[in-house]
Amino acid sequence: MSEIKVNKVSPRTGTYVSLNTVGMKNIIINGDMSIAQRGTSATGLGNGDNGYHTCDRWKLLESGTPTYEFTQSQSTDVPSGQGFATSLKMDCTTADASLNADNLIRIAQVIESQNLQYLKFGTANAESLTASFWVKSSVTGDYNVHLYNYGSGGGARIISSTYTINSADTWEKKTITYDGDTVEAFLNDNTAGLNLTFTLGSGTDYTSTDATSWGSYSSGKLAYGQVANIASSTANNFYITGVQLEAGTTASDFEFLPVDVNLGRCQRYCTVFMDYGAGDTNSNRLYNSDYANVHGMARMGYPRMRAEPSLTYSSVGFSIHADYSSNGLIQLMASGDTNFRIYDILAEAEL
Amino acid sequence: MNFISATYMYDMEGVNKTHIKLELGNNKFKHIPMNEANTDYQAIQEWSAIEGNNIIDNGGGE
């Protein structure tokens, strides 16, 4: 048997590697915009179109009653030689050169609380966070990007920073480091914990209050420092990819994941079934089976999601009477109808 | 959230409300579970709190 003899064992000094700085270090899901289950293009996005449209996990947020409209798409325009194949594009199709005071255009990712515990927010050891990303826009100038902490009961908090797009229509890499929030912790559950938000245009209601250090949320902080307005002309567009948010004060290289891993992470929040979006009622259909010779029932299992999802589907000539679905199973019943089918099925349990 | 109508769905026994069914048009529907963890449910609650907005309750019938 081998033997190791030492005279003294001393504590390690110097910098420790924080948890999650290697392997799955990126808090952001689908930062390379490679997964777009709902579709690769959505047109006419403006008033009332808060939500998820193309690239998975990326939420469009608008405020007020804007008149602008955008097409959002998964684009193949990417920074050269960086390994990216896709980006998220916002293309202005109806302009609003002078936003109303209550108008706000944002793209955000909301992150689940229980994935954030290692950041130690709400303690003196709260980890700093560094965001890095590639952007390209026809509109140069200053853009707001902020973190929003949903909190654990003490109220929401916010910190923001700005970056500058220096050259029109040119890919630029940006890096921003935020202090950790030593005041407010995250809940440890499946609810929203933190969001990383990119502002693309703002009215004056949201730009007036300094938010360059962590503080209680107020709407005046939401777009502090934002000058650029990508809605100002139909010639405008905005691209973003390679979004990474990681613990620490330095930005490491973007963490590329295999498609199965990336898709699996997205499917906790959104799952599409069969040939979603094709409108094909033949190969894209989920048939019922008989239930007690009275009720038709359609059933299909899928990977467990964050919570019981909303279920969107199309149907032919019948009405679903009852829904016994859960966060891993579609189970729909049509009373008195033993022959039905649904298609273009989308399950969403987004934050 | 754009939809034509919102109706409560009940279980097969017609006793318990389980979902809110949105009619989206063109034979397209959305079922929203009555679960606070679902952000669509949070949104439809905000919508229904506005005067004049109403979730249809047929008491378990379609």
Side-chain angles (χ1 to χ4, degrees), chain A residues 48-49 190 295 306-315 319-324 332-333 335 348 350-351, chain B residues 1-2 9-13 18-19 21 24 27-33 35 37-40 60-62:
Chain A
D49 288 319
N190 65 347
H295 307 298
R306 181 189 68 83
E308 184 178 351
S310 302
L311 198 64
T312 305
Y313 61 91
S314 294
S315 64
S319 178
I320 294 291
H321 180 67
D323 186 337
Y324 287 96
L332 303 172
M333 302 178 76
S335 180
E348 294 173 294
E350 293 285 3
L351 288 164
Chain B
M1 190 176 292
N2 299 313
M9 296 180 75
Y10 282 73
D11 56 21
M12 289 301 288
E13 292 73 31
T18 64
H19 294 75
K21 184 178 185 177
L24 306 177
N27 289 321
K28 192 170 184 177
F29 302 92
K30 185 171 190 172
H31 295 185
I32 299 174
N35 183 332
N38 185 294
T39 53
D40 288 327
E62 271 291 297

Side-chain angles (χ1 to χ4, degrees), chain A residues 50-71:
Chain A
N50 277 325
Y52 297 84
H53 301 284
T54 60
C55 298
D56 276 52
R57 301 296 293 121
W58 290 101
K59 187 175 189 178
L60 175 67
L61 295 165
E62 56 81 17
S63 297
T65 51
T67 57
Y68 60 72
E69 287 193 340
F70 287 90
T71 293

